[in-house]
Amino acid sequence: MTQVSVQRAGTTKSVPDEEREKTEILNRYRGLLRSIRGERTQEETRAIRKAFNIAVEAHKGQRRKSGEPYIYHPIAVARICAEEIGLGGTSVVCALLHDTVEDTDLTLEDVRDLFGPNVANIIDGLTKISGLQFTSDSAQAENFRKVLLTLAQDVRVILIKLADRLHNMRTLEGMVRDKQLKIASETQFLYAPMAHRLGLYSIKTELEDLALKFKEPVIYEEISSKLKKTEAVRKRFISRFTLPIRRSMEHEGFTFEVKGRPKSIHSIYNKMLTKNVTFEEVYDVFAIRIIIDGESDNEKADCWKVYSIVTDHYQPNPDRLRDWISIPKVNGYESLHTTVMSPGGKWVEVQIRTRRMDDIAEMGLAAHYRYKESAEQNTALDDWMSQVREVLEDPSSNAIDFVNDFKLNLFSDEIVVFTPRGEMRNLPSNATALDFAFDIHSQVGRQCIGAKVNHKLVPLSQPLRSGDQIEVITSKKQQPKEDWLNYVVTAKARQKIKAALKEQKKKLAVVGREAMQRKLRELGAKVDDRNITLLTEHFKANTSTDLYYNIARGRTHVDGLDGTLVRNGRLVFPKKASQENDRSLEDIVGEIRGNDAQALVIGETLQQLEYKLSSCCNPIPGDDVFGFITNNEGIKIHRVNCPNAVQLMSNFAIRIVKARWKGKDTVEFLAGIRFSGIDAVGLVNKITSIISHQHNVNMRSISFESNDGIFEGKVMAFVHDTDHLNSLMEKLRRVNGVRMVERLGT
Ligand code: MN
């Protein structure tokens, strides 16, 4: 008897109570309907009911890993869409249907017939997205890109996907361990940043916390239990801290809410890791939020009024004032942040915003995003979407690069900068002037030769800061350079530069190859692979394409081959000549100086003595000079304004001797000039010709270093005296693009 009853109990348990489940499904459905905000048209209500019925039917008999009816999941996802993201009827319909095409007999065609093309397109995007894994595998990256194309057409695809992911994370308990890890990692890697980028702060935070919970359960539990233990202390502090503020605000007639939430578990853990501190050192770091209720015509003024109240009571840190109200973030975030000193000597961040701003901050701009056919006003989210679309539609971009670039943009914070006319542009932090140029227009980017930030000339690589005003300087002759890739951070700039470089290289390689073939024929050598290989080695190029490219760029000169031995059509190179040693300019100066050392007379009696010109200030005739008797190098001549002179003259007055130039001499002296400016095509040529032809100066050496579009050059040239040198420098200053000219060793 006992056995029978056990048997019966077991049987009853394993067959779910269908009636009870039906009631529960309906209850959850009603809860979903209640959670949808705002007015609903009859048509929408009908569509939602239809979607619900179809989903129930399609998922009939399916169960989740936890044993619950599968339909609980789409209902929950739909509810997150409505309640936590603030989406409307169409999204609720799509959320209810989101797993049908993938997991049931329902086809996309069925959905299109039943609900029209809009819903079908969203379901299509959702179905594709769910099949993806976000690793660095190229086929999957390509898939990801395709889906993002869909996303760019309708942002609801990604929003519903986020709701789906959030519910899966909330119910991850039932999964096996390796599935948990995979889903949690994906969430951390892609969905949390995406939620952040779209301004869904609370979803982002929850996703991060849940990911940590499953990836690092021990740490998660530890932090979460410590947070619970310290809750009372925190509450007491917040209540004491906010008391005077609350009183003043009530006095001013504000209705408001004050929240003081601790940081998320994930962010506490992150801080502990990155700053290498203990829980005790970070747990009490939190922000106090003041939310102003009620309708207001002037939200901005209200927020600043509250700011004034807060700072009446507590001393603010002027460096930590953030005004996201005048300039909202790209994802729509608006808030006024200040950090003030609490009586206990601790900095406390206070966030001031209206209820509307708080809604956007919690649920994202998506909550307020309208999906009408007509062209809407350009919201910041639109801008972001159109950027994503632009990158996606670029056929030259490679899928893996794209994913990486996209991730880059997802993770980065942003800055706000201005055009010369005061137009605002949002860029990721660490964006450079070059990123800015490409952000304005790809043409502007490609022809960018320099930029003025706040009216000052800066290298293209200089990271911009919020509030900078940037003027881009362009030249029609400019072309994108390879090193540009080292200092752009935006996906758009990277794509455009890479595409342009590829194009350039292709064109140039053809030109270079032709020049090479011409030269081979001229030398009577065969144009064949063997000779090309010999040449590639001879010119130390990695590949023949690189060689052609270098020839076309003028880095490698085919004329250098004149006189090369050719035997039976084969090039014969002599044994490698020993390399010219790389001596510094100073060495060369020193050597040459030593040769004509008789231009000075030294001492009271103006004797002809052996002397050396010092290398620290490079004196030339015309300079005010003095001699210094050294311990073991004889007399050294310094300029009076030499940086070392003051010290020498004050400490060793007794070893100073007079020195004077013997008047105009035919001897030429080597002098160095350093100059810098904006790198432009043909500039080296211009400078060289000024020095050698126009001024009749004999140039010893010239070196150029181009860095981020700013060049620095050094010229060593023979001059007669300071007058000669000065007039040469004056001419150089007048060259277009040259910004600074100075004598070496001043
Ligand atoms: Mn799902």
Side-chain angles (χ1 to χ4, degrees):
M1 228 181 116
T2 335
Q3 265 190 328
V4 173
S5 79
V6 168
Q7 186 85 34
R8 206 176 275 157
T11 322
T12 328
K13 227 181 183 180
S14 70
V15 175
D17 184 348
E18 278 193 26
E19 280 312 306
R20 216 197 39 186
E21 269 182 8
K22 257 186 197 161
T23 318
E24 180 58 26
I25 290 169
L26 275 176
N27 277 341
R28 292 188 185 208
Y29 173 63
R30 285 193 199 104
L32 163 66
L33 289 180
R34 278 194 302 274
S35 73
I36 303 172
R37 297 159 176 237
E39 296 278 302
R40 228 177 317 133
T41 62
Q42 267 198 336
E43 206 181 318
E44 271 180 318
T45 311
R46 221 175 296 136
I48 292 169
R49 189 182 311 137
K50 188 159 89 178
F52 170 69
N53 287 332
I54 286 169
V56 169
E57 195 50 38
H59 290 296
K60 198 170 200 156
Q62 292 181 351
R63 293 195 174 268
R64 305 199 82 207
K65 284 269 150 53
S66 60
E68 289 176 335
Y70 194 87
I71 190 68
Y72 286 6
H73 168 65
I75 295 174
V77 173
R79 186 162 177 168
I80 293 170
C81 285
E83 202 167 39
E84 297 179 52
I85 308 183
L87 293 174
T90 307
S91 303
V92 170
V93 168
C94 293
L96 284 169
L97 298 170
H98 83 269
D99 277 333
T100 53
V101 171
E102 198 188 356
D103 296 341
T104 76
D105 295 336
L106 207 70
T107 65
L108 198 59
E109 283 318 303
D110 297 336
V111 174
R112 199 181 310 272
D113 291 344
L114 288 161
F115 296 94
N118 268 353
V119 170
N121 284 342
I122 294 175
I123 299 294
D124 188 28
L126 285 164
T127 308
K128 282 179 186 155
I129 249 184
S130 68
L132 297 182
Q133 286 174 15
F134 304 105
T135 59
S136 55
D137 181 69
S138 92
Q140 284 159 344
E142 186 59 42
N143 265 345
F144 177 41
R145 181 178 137 173
K146 279 186 196 140
V147 172
L148 282 170
L149 256 170
T150 319
L151 135 78
Q153 280 158 17
D154 197 324
V155 70
R156 282 174 292 189
V157 171
I158 208 68
L159 295 172
I160 296 167
K161 184 64 204 171
L162 282 170
D164 180 33
R165 176 52 57 124
L166 181 58
H167 187 247
N168 284 335
M169 287 298 290
R170 283 175 182 170
T171 52
L172 203 55
E173 214 73 66
M175 290 279 182
V176 289
R177 181 76 183 137
D178 65 325
K179 263 267 171 83
Q180 283 181 347
L181 285 177
K182 180 183 164 285
I183 293 173
S185 305
E186 232 176 59
T187 300
Q188 197 179 22
F189 170 76
L190 193 76
Y191 291 100
M194 201 174 273
H196 177 68
R197 198 65 179 79
L198 291 166
L200 303 157
Y201 282 96
S202 48
I203 290 183
K204 171 223 173 204
T205 307
E206 191 177 345
L207 286 175
E208 281 174 345
D209 274 4
L210 286 167
L212 183 67
K213 180 178 167 185
F214 289 101
K215 287 187 82 176
E216 308 270 10
V218 178
I219 290 163
Y220 180 89
E221 277 315 315
E222 196 182 312
I223 296 175
S224 118
S225 81
K226 278 184 175 172
L227 268 179
K228 261 174 223 139
K229 266 186 229 155
T230 50
E231 201 178 342
V233 184
R234 237 181 354 259
K235 274 193 173 153
R236 216 176 308 131
F237 174 83
I238 290 165
S239 129
R240 238 184 256 154
F241 176 86
T242 57
L243 183 67
I245 299 173
R246 280 180 282 139
R247 280 203 185 125
S248 298
M249 284 185 70
E250 273 157 21
H251 185 74
E252 293 286 334
F254 280 109
T255 47
F256 60 94
E257 186 191 352
V258 173
K259 286 187 195 168
R261 266 193 300 186
K263 288 189 159 301
S264 71
I265 294 175
H266 173 264
S267 69
I268 288 176
Y269 179 53
N270 234 2
K271 205 159 225 170
M272 287 165 64
L273 275 187
T274 55
K275 302 234 160 110
N276 198 20
V277 291
T278 63
F279 172 84
E280 283 66 30
E281 288 170 274
V282 287
Y283 80 100
D284 56 351
V285 179
F286 51 84
I288 286 181
R289 188 175 301 161
I290 301 171
I291 302 157
I292 307 170
D293 271 312
E295 294 283 302
S296 170
D297 295 337
N298 205 339
E299 296 182 299
K300 193 172 166 181
D302 285 349
C303 290
W304 282 105
K305 203 165 171 188
V306 173
Y307 170 81
S308 150
I309 290 172
V310 171
T311 52
D312 278 347
H313 294 288
Y314 302 109
Q315 188 64 38
N317 179 342
D319 290 341
R320 309 244 311 253
L321 176 65
R322 299 284 178 273
D323 176 8
W324 300 112
I325 293 179
S326 306
I327 303 170
K329 288 192 191 182
V330 133
N331 59 23
Y333 185 82
E334 291 172 76
S335 193
L336 190 60
H337 293 191
T338 178
T339 300
V340 300
M341 182 59 83
S342 70
K346 215 162 52 189
W347 290 111
V348 177
E349 183 179 289
V350 181
Q351 306 173 346
I352 303 162
R353 54 175 81 151
T354 63
R355 181 64 67 186
R356 180 191 65 81
M357 296 173 188
D358 192 53
D359 277 352
I360 293 181
E362 290 291 304
M363 297 199 296
L365 198 60
H368 296 247
Y369 194 64
R370 300 274 169 266
Y371 300 103
K372 286 173 189 153
E373 252 86 289
S374 65
E376 280 277 313
Q377 66 194 64
N378 240 9
T379 63
L381 188 64
D382 282 333
D383 286 348
W384 180 62
M385 284 302 166
S386 70
Q387 271 176 36
V388 172
R389 200 177 301 127
E390 209 173 304
V391 172
L392 285 164
E393 283 166 357
D394 186 345
S396 69
S397 72
N398 157 296
I400 289 182
D401 280 1
F402 171 76
V403 172
N404 287 335
D405 290 347
F406 183 75
K407 239 172 61 199
L408 231 155
N409 280 2
L410 276 176
F411 279 107
S412 53
D413 279 333
E414 61 203 26
I415 55 169
V416 180
V417 294
F418 299 91
T419 66
R421 288 197 188 141
E423 193 196 327
M424 199 178 89
R425 312 294 283 209
N426 289 82
L427 289 171
S429 65
N430 291 324
T432 58
L434 194 56
D435 283 305
F436 176 83
F438 275 100
D439 187 59
I440 296 288
H441 195 278
S442 30
Q443 178 90 348
V444 175
R446 281 196 298 269
Q447 300 187 342
C448 180
I449 55 169
K452 282 183 178 173
V453 170
N454 307 326
H455 309 296
K456 228 184 96 195
L457 192 72
V458 301
L460 290 175
S461 65
Q462 174 146 318
L464 301 173
R465 297 170 57 175
S466 261
D468 280 347
Q469 188 165 38
I470 302 111
E471 184 189 339
V472 177
I473 305 166
T474 59
S475 157
K476 285 214 173 84
K477 288 180 184 156
Q478 178 70 306
Q479 284 192 327
K481 308 252 172 14
E482 242 160 277
D483 65 336
W484 284 15
L485 288 172
N486 298 334
Y487 45 87
V488 293
V489 301
T490 54
K492 182 179 175 182
R494 293 193 75 80
Q495 304 271 351
K496 298 288 176 197
I497 294 168
K498 278 183 195 164
L501 287 174
K502 227 175 167 178
E503 203 48 43
Q504 274 173 33
K505 206 160 179 174
K506 247 196 278 176
K507 271 190 209 152
L508 280 170
V510 173
V511 176
R513 194 178 64 208
E514 280 164 5
M516 174 55 71
Q517 290 172 348
R518 255 199 317 276
K519 182 53 77 178
L520 283 174
R521 281 187 213 107
E522 198 184 303
L523 292 168
K526 280 188 213 157
V527 181
D528 64 0
D529 285 352
R530 178 77 194 116
N531 271 344
I532 301 289
T533 309
L534 282 170
L535 284 169
T536 307
E537 277 165 18
H538 176 72
F539 286 113
K540 298 188 179 74
N542 288 329
T543 64
S544 54
T545 312
D546 282 351
L547 174 65
Y548 299 147
Y549 178 63
N550 286 343
I551 291 168
R553 284 290 305 270
R555 289 176 189 162
T556 296
H557 300 280
V558 284
D559 288 345
L561 292 172
D562 288 345
T564 304
L565 207 58
V566 177
R567 214 174 279 145
N568 299 330
R570 184 70 55 228
L571 293 164
V572 183
F573 291 109
K575 269 183 239 153
K576 271 176 204 158
S578 74
Q579 289 209 334
E580 200 186 316
N581 34 2
D582 282 329
R583 288 174 308 166
S584 70
L585 287 171
E586 282 73 15
D587 289 345
I588 298 165
V589 176
E591 179 193 309
I592 293 163
R593 289 255 165 93
N595 294 339
D596 40 28
Q598 299 307 322
L600 272 172
V601 284
I602 290 170
E604 294 298 335
T605 51
L606 305 179
Q607 294 165 276
Q608 289 268 358
L609 290 174
E610 282 290 308
Y611 63 88
K612 275 184 183 155
L613 299 171
S614 80
S615 60
C616 54
C617 55
N618 295 329
I620 61 169
D623 282 335
D624 233 351
V625 290
F626 66 92
F628 181 74
I629 305 164
T630 63
N631 286 334
N632 39 31
E633 288 181 284
I635 297 170
K636 276 204 156 181
I637 304 299
H638 290 265
R639 279 155 67 184
V640 173
N641 57 5
C642 167
N644 295 326
V646 180
Q647 200 220 343
L648 292 176
M649 287 196 272
S650 57
N651 291 346
F652 308 101
I654 198 147
R655 286 154 71 177
I656 301 291
V657 289
K658 259 191 196 168
R660 212 177 67 204
W661 301 99
K662 276 202 291 187
K664 261 218 152 56
D665 212 305
T666 46
V667 180
E668 288 180 321
F669 282 81
L670 197 58
I673 302 170
R674 179 167 59 215
F675 47 91
S676 66
I678 296 173
D679 196 358
V681 180
L683 197 85
V684 182
N685 219 349
K686 245 187 259 168
I687 287 172
T688 320
S689 84
I690 283 184
I691 296 169
S692 52
H693 307 301
Q694 294 188 10
H695 214 73
N696 201 19
V697 185
N698 191 1
M699 193 163 62
R700 175 69 178 78
S701 73
I702 182 164
S703 69
F704 255 89
E705 211 170 283
S706 178
N707 203 354
D708 324 350
I710 295 281
F711 72 83
E712 263 213 28
K714 272 188 200 168
V715 171
M716 301 301 292
F718 291 100
V719 295
H720 298 297
D721 52 29
T722 43
D723 286 347
H724 193 189
L725 180 67
N726 285 339
S727 75
L728 172 61
M729 284 167 62
E730 202 39 57
K731 286 225 162 149
L732 287 177
R733 276 193 196 103
R734 274 184 241 135
V735 175
N736 233 342
V738 170
R739 302 276 158 163
M740 187 277 293
V741 178
E742 66 180 20
R743 183 171 162 192
L744 272 174
T746 49

